[in-house]
Amino acid sequence: NAGVMQNPRHLVRRRGQEARLRCSPMKGHSHVYWYRQLPEEGLKFMVYLQKENIIDESGMPKERFSAEFPKEGPSILRIQQVVRGDSAAYFCASSKDYKETQYFGPGTRLLVL
Amino acid sequence: DQQVKQNSPSLSVQEGRISILNCDYTNSMFDYFLWYKKYPAEGPTFLISISSIKDKNEDGRFTVFLNKSAKHLSLHIVPSQPGDSAVYFCAVNYNQGGKLIFGQGTELSVKP
């Protein structure tokens, strides 16, 4: 019974490049959430998606960040033209339904040089 | 504005004793409260939750207490074990669903 999968686990990018983070939810889960943890801080909500729909993107930066959860395949968090301040751990969580517990993946650690 | 606060960045406890982790929140509209545990280089792991209609929920060695009038919740671990050493995050949301709002975390160290 696989948990939430995230890849890559570590990603190094130079300033100005693009970063693509992938999240495969647990089997049977159709709700996906992305959170970001900056150094020495707690997790901050970014976006909540259901298959093919963005439900809540109130935590997403207005520029350079986008997320999708297509009908087939993993959810993707895309960061264009990365800057050093984007260096963080990005966690994906999934749940079976809106009111069900969110289970987290191991995270992707993004380092921007 | 920090809506969820864990004022103790760290806590050290002797093995076998009780660990008490605290969390305060500002918005009385929050109605569902959770605790997650996180080891380094891993994602948070769900521990225990409580709805605002209750004031206590127990699961094995873990008990969560909710004081709505004080907007305060706490996690009790008894007896504490060295394997409990981790960062503990409290989290809240509305209507038991959607985005979670996390505290900053408390690093628990249980010494043998």
mmCIF file of all heavy atoms in Angstrom, chain B residues 41-67:
data_model
loop_
_atom_site.group_PDB
_atom_site.id
_atom_site.type_symbol
_atom_site.label_atom_id
_atom_site.label_comp_id
_atom_site.label_asym_id
_atom_site.label_seq_id
_atom_site.Cartn_x
_atom_site.Cartn_y
_atom_site.Cartn_z
ATOM 1 N N ALA B 41 14.242 15.078 7.147
ATOM 2 C CA ALA B 41 14.275 14.562 5.773
ATOM 3 C C ALA B 41 13.080 13.660 5.437
ATOM 4 O O ALA B 41 13.133 12.900 4.468
ATOM 5 C CB ALA B 41 15.579 13.827 5.496
ATOM 6 N N GLU B 42 12.024 13.721 6.240
ATOM 7 C CA GLU B 42 10.799 12.990 5.926
ATOM 8 C C GLU B 42 9.617 13.957 5.924
ATOM 9 O O GLU B 42 9.726 15.089 6.395
ATOM 10 C CB GLU B 42 10.538 11.885 6.955
ATOM 11 C CG GLU B 42 11.574 10.787 6.928
ATOM 12 C CD GLU B 42 11.216 9.661 7.881
ATOM 13 O OE1 GLU B 42 10.071 9.607 8.377
ATOM 14 O OE2 GLU B 42 12.097 8.819 8.137
ATOM 15 N N GLY B 43 8.473 13.483 5.405
ATOM 16 C CA GLY B 43 7.266 14.286 5.469
ATOM 17 C C GLY B 43 6.579 14.138 6.810
ATOM 18 O O GLY B 43 6.849 13.195 7.564
ATOM 19 N N PRO B 44 5.680 15.057 7.148
ATOM 20 C CA PRO B 44 4.928 14.934 8.403
ATOM 21 C C PRO B 44 4.065 13.680 8.407
ATOM 22 O O PRO B 44 3.512 13.293 7.371
ATOM 23 C CB PRO B 44 4.054 16.198 8.410
ATOM 24 C CG PRO B 44 4.708 17.150 7.472
ATOM 25 C CD PRO B 44 5.344 16.299 6.427
ATOM 26 N N THR B 45 3.950 13.078 9.573
ATOM 27 C CA THR B 45 3.115 11.889 9.767
ATOM 28 C C THR B 45 1.969 12.251 10.686
ATOM 29 O O THR B 45 2.187 12.803 11.770
ATOM 30 C CB THR B 45 3.933 10.758 10.414
ATOM 31 O OG1 THR B 45 5.063 10.467 9.601
ATOM 32 C CG2 THR B 45 3.093 9.503 10.577
ATOM 33 N N PHE B 46 0.750 11.946 10.272
ATOM 34 C CA PHE B 46 -0.426 12.246 11.089
ATOM 35 C C PHE B 46 -0.395 11.447 12.383
ATOM 36 O O PHE B 46 -0.107 10.248 12.398
ATOM 37 C CB PHE B 46 -1.705 11.910 10.309
ATOM 38 C CG PHE B 46 -2.948 11.961 11.138
ATOM 39 C CD1 PHE B 46 -3.468 13.176 11.548
ATOM 40 C CD2 PHE B 46 -3.590 10.791 11.527
ATOM 41 C CE1 PHE B 46 -4.613 13.221 12.335
ATOM 42 C CE2 PHE B 46 -4.738 10.832 12.298
ATOM 43 C CZ PHE B 46 -5.241 12.055 12.702
ATOM 44 N N LEU B 47 -0.694 12.130 13.502
ATOM 45 C CA LEU B 47 -0.703 11.482 14.813
ATOM 46 C C LEU B 47 -2.112 11.323 15.355
ATOM 47 O O LEU B 47 -2.564 10.223 15.652
ATOM 48 C CB LEU B 47 0.093 12.329 15.811
ATOM 49 C CG LEU B 47 1.539 11.992 16.049
ATOM 50 C CD1 LEU B 47 2.116 12.960 17.074
ATOM 51 C CD2 LEU B 47 1.702 10.562 16.541
ATOM 52 N N ILE B 48 -2.787 12.448 15.534
ATOM 53 C CA ILE B 48 -4.068 12.436 16.224
ATOM 54 C C ILE B 48 -4.794 13.729 15.899
ATOM 55 O O ILE B 48 -4.158 14.741 15.563
ATOM 56 C CB ILE B 48 -3.859 12.276 17.754
ATOM 57 C CG1 ILE B 48 -5.160 11.950 18.466
ATOM 58 C CG2 ILE B 48 -3.171 13.505 18.347
ATOM 59 C CD1 ILE B 48 -4.980 11.506 19.922
ATOM 60 N N SER B 49 -6.121 13.685 15.967
ATOM 61 C CA SER B 49 -6.894 14.891 15.677
ATOM 62 C C SER B 49 -8.040 15.008 16.668
ATOM 63 O O SER B 49 -8.374 14.053 17.392
ATOM 64 C CB SER B 49 -7.432 14.830 14.250
ATOM 65 O OG SER B 49 -8.292 13.717 14.078
ATOM 66 N N ILE B 50 -8.672 16.193 16.666
ATOM 67 C CA ILE B 50 -9.824 16.415 17.527
ATOM 68 C C ILE B 50 -10.739 17.433 16.877
ATOM 69 O O ILE B 50 -10.275 18.425 16.297
ATOM 70 C CB ILE B 50 -9.393 16.860 18.943
ATOM 71 C CG1 ILE B 50 -10.588 16.928 19.885
ATOM 72 C CG2 ILE B 50 -8.656 18.208 18.907
ATOM 73 C CD1 ILE B 50 -10.198 17.054 21.365
ATOM 74 N N SER B 51 -12.022 17.180 16.977
ATOM 75 C CA SER B 51 -13.020 18.115 16.479
ATOM 76 C C SER B 51 -13.381 19.091 17.587
ATOM 77 O O SER B 51 -13.244 18.779 18.770
ATOM 78 C CB SER B 51 -14.247 17.311 16.030
ATOM 79 O OG SER B 51 -15.385 18.106 16.045
ATOM 80 N N SER B 52 -13.892 20.245 17.197
ATOM 81 C CA SER B 52 -14.218 21.266 18.195
ATOM 82 C C SER B 52 -15.396 20.880 19.094
ATOM 83 O O SER B 52 -15.655 21.546 20.089
ATOM 84 C CB SER B 52 -14.526 22.602 17.517
ATOM 85 O OG SER B 52 -15.606 22.461 16.629
ATOM 86 N N ILE B 53 -16.108 19.808 18.738
ATOM 87 C CA ILE B 53 -17.230 19.391 19.594
ATOM 88 C C ILE B 53 -16.751 18.552 20.776
ATOM 89 O O ILE B 53 -17.528 18.212 21.669
ATOM 90 C CB ILE B 53 -18.310 18.637 18.800
ATOM 91 C CG1 ILE B 53 -17.737 17.349 18.193
ATOM 92 C CG2 ILE B 53 -18.896 19.522 17.728
ATOM 93 C CD1 ILE B 53 -18.812 16.471 17.569
ATOM 94 N N LYS B 54 -15.455 18.208 20.754
ATOM 95 C CA LYS B 54 -14.894 17.416 21.850
ATOM 96 C C LYS B 54 -13.869 18.246 22.605
ATOM 97 O O LYS B 54 -13.374 19.263 22.109
ATOM 98 C CB LYS B 54 -14.213 16.162 21.305
ATOM 99 C CG LYS B 54 -15.141 15.175 20.645
ATOM 100 C CD LYS B 54 -14.374 13.913 20.271
ATOM 101 C CE LYS B 54 -15.301 12.846 19.736
ATOM 102 N NZ LYS B 54 -14.571 11.605 19.412
ATOM 103 N N ASP B 55 -13.517 17.789 23.816
ATOM 104 C CA ASP B 55 -12.414 18.451 24.505
ATOM 105 C C ASP B 55 -11.234 17.522 24.761
ATOM 106 O O ASP B 55 -10.198 17.954 25.267
ATOM 107 C CB ASP B 55 -12.887 19.104 25.814
ATOM 108 C CG ASP B 55 -13.635 18.132 26.700
ATOM 109 O OD1 ASP B 55 -13.440 16.912 26.539
ATOM 110 O OD2 ASP B 55 -14.404 18.596 27.570
ATOM 111 N N LYS B 56 -11.384 16.263 24.383
ATOM 112 C CA LYS B 56 -10.304 15.309 24.596
ATOM 113 C C LYS B 56 -10.428 14.176 23.589
ATOM 114 O O LYS B 56 -11.532 13.703 23.299
ATOM 115 C CB LYS B 56 -10.396 14.771 26.025
ATOM 116 C CG LYS B 56 -9.377 13.703 26.390
ATOM 117 C CD LYS B 56 -9.621 13.220 27.815
ATOM 118 C CE LYS B 56 -8.758 12.028 28.145
ATOM 119 N NZ LYS B 56 -9.028 11.521 29.515
ATOM 120 N N ASN B 57 -9.279 13.734 23.083
ATOM 121 C CA ASN B 57 -9.255 12.538 22.248
ATOM 122 C C ASN B 57 -7.976 11.771 22.562
ATOM 123 O O ASN B 57 -6.894 12.351 22.665
ATOM 124 C CB ASN B 57 -9.290 12.906 20.753
ATOM 125 C CG ASN B 57 -9.482 11.688 19.878
ATOM 126 O OD1 ASN B 57 -10.010 10.671 20.312
ATOM 127 N ND2 ASN B 57 -9.039 11.763 18.635
ATOM 128 N N GLU B 58 -8.137 10.461 22.729
ATOM 129 C CA GLU B 58 -7.020 9.641 23.187
ATOM 130 C C GLU B 58 -6.738 8.525 22.189
ATOM 131 O O GLU B 58 -7.664 7.915 21.645
ATOM 132 C CB GLU B 58 -7.408 9.031 24.537
ATOM 133 C CG GLU B 58 -6.285 8.465 25.349
ATOM 134 C CD GLU B 58 -6.756 8.112 26.755
ATOM 135 O OE1 GLU B 58 -7.835 8.565 27.169
ATOM 136 O OE2 GLU B 58 -6.027 7.380 27.437
ATOM 137 N N ASP B 59 -5.458 8.260 21.943
ATOM 138 C CA ASP B 59 -5.079 7.142 21.071
ATOM 139 C C ASP B 59 -3.770 6.566 21.597
ATOM 140 O O ASP B 59 -2.688 7.102 21.334
ATOM 141 C CB ASP B 59 -4.911 7.633 19.627
ATOM 142 C CG ASP B 59 -4.592 6.493 18.670
ATOM 143 O OD1 ASP B 59 -4.514 5.327 19.101
ATOM 144 O OD2 ASP B 59 -4.412 6.766 17.461
ATOM 145 N N GLY B 60 -3.896 5.517 22.376
ATOM 146 C CA GLY B 60 -2.703 4.899 22.935
ATOM 147 C C GLY B 60 -1.975 5.841 23.885
ATOM 148 O O GLY B 60 -2.567 6.359 24.832
ATOM 149 N N ARG B 61 -0.715 6.100 23.601
ATOM 150 C CA ARG B 61 0.076 6.982 24.475
ATOM 151 C C ARG B 61 -0.178 8.471 24.205
ATOM 152 O O ARG B 61 0.363 9.315 24.927
ATOM 153 C CB ARG B 61 1.571 6.696 24.269
ATOM 154 C CG ARG B 61 2.016 5.293 24.669
ATOM 155 C CD ARG B 61 3.523 5.117 24.563
ATOM 156 N NE ARG B 61 4.016 5.284 23.203
ATOM 157 C CZ ARG B 61 4.818 6.276 22.822
ATOM 158 N NH1 ARG B 61 5.228 7.203 23.690
ATOM 159 N NH2 ARG B 61 5.242 6.355 21.575
ATOM 160 N N PHE B 62 -0.956 8.768 23.192
ATOM 161 C CA PHE B 62 -1.168 10.153 22.771
ATOM 162 C C PHE B 62 -2.578 10.621 23.133
ATOM 163 O O PHE B 62 -3.558 9.936 22.834
ATOM 164 C CB PHE B 62 -0.954 10.282 21.258
ATOM 165 C CG PHE B 62 0.419 9.858 20.799
ATOM 166 C CD1 PHE B 62 0.660 8.545 20.407
ATOM 167 C CD2 PHE B 62 1.461 10.762 20.790
ATOM 168 C CE1 PHE B 62 1.931 8.155 20.004
ATOM 169 C CE2 PHE B 62 2.730 10.373 20.377
ATOM 170 C CZ PHE B 62 2.958 9.063 19.986
ATOM 171 N N THR B 63 -2.643 11.797 23.769
ATOM 172 C CA THR B 63 -3.923 12.409 24.095
ATOM 173 C C THR B 63 -3.867 13.863 23.689
ATOM 174 O O THR B 63 -2.887 14.563 23.992
ATOM 175 C CB THR B 63 -4.227 12.305 25.597
ATOM 176 O OG1 THR B 63 -4.196 10.934 25.992
ATOM 177 C CG2 THR B 63 -5.608 12.887 25.904
ATOM 178 N N VAL B 64 -4.916 14.312 23.012
ATOM 179 C CA VAL B 64 -5.000 15.727 22.668
ATOM 180 C C VAL B 64 -6.136 16.349 23.476
ATOM 181 O O VAL B 64 -7.221 15.767 23.589
ATOM 182 C CB VAL B 64 -5.179 15.939 21.142
ATOM 183 C CG1 VAL B 64 -6.386 15.210 20.600
ATOM 184 C CG2 VAL B 64 -5.249 17.413 20.814
ATOM 185 N N PHE B 65 -5.853 17.512 24.048
ATOM 186 C CA PHE B 65 -6.833 18.265 24.824
ATOM 187 C C PHE B 65 -7.117 19.569 24.101
ATOM 188 O O PHE B 65 -6.198 20.232 23.613
ATOM 189 C CB PHE B 65 -6.291 18.564 26.225
ATOM 190 C CG PHE B 65 -6.077 17.350 27.068
ATOM 191 C CD1 PHE B 65 -4.848 16.697 27.089
ATOM 192 C CD2 PHE B 65 -7.111 16.844 27.871
ATOM 193 C CE1 PHE B 65 -4.642 15.571 27.873
ATOM 194 C CE2 PHE B 65 -6.918 15.722 28.647
ATOM 195 C CZ PHE B 65 -5.688 15.085 28.654
ATOM 196 N N LEU B 66 -8.392 19.937 24.076
ATOM 197 C CA LEU B 66 -8.783 21.187 23.435
ATOM 198 C C LEU B 66 -9.529 22.064 24.439
ATOM 199 O O LEU B 66 -10.522 21.639 25.031
ATOM 200 C CB LEU B 66 -9.684 20.908 22.224
ATOM 201 C CG LEU B 66 -10.244 22.123 21.494
ATOM 202 C CD1 LEU B 66 -9.121 22.964 20.887
ATOM 203 C CD2 LEU B 66 -11.237 21.688 20.410
ATOM 204 N N ASN B 67 -9.058 23.293 24.583
ATOM 205 C CA ASN B 67 -9.713 24.284 25.438
ATOM 206 C C ASN B 67 -10.162 25.421 24.525
ATOM 207 O O ASN B 67 -9.389 26.311 24.182
ATOM 208 C CB ASN B 67 -8.736 24.781 26.507
ATOM 209 C CG ASN B 67 -9.378 25.779 27.455
ATOM 210 O OD1 ASN B 67 -10.355 26.450 27.109
ATOM 211 N ND2 ASN B 67 -8.839 25.881 28.655
#
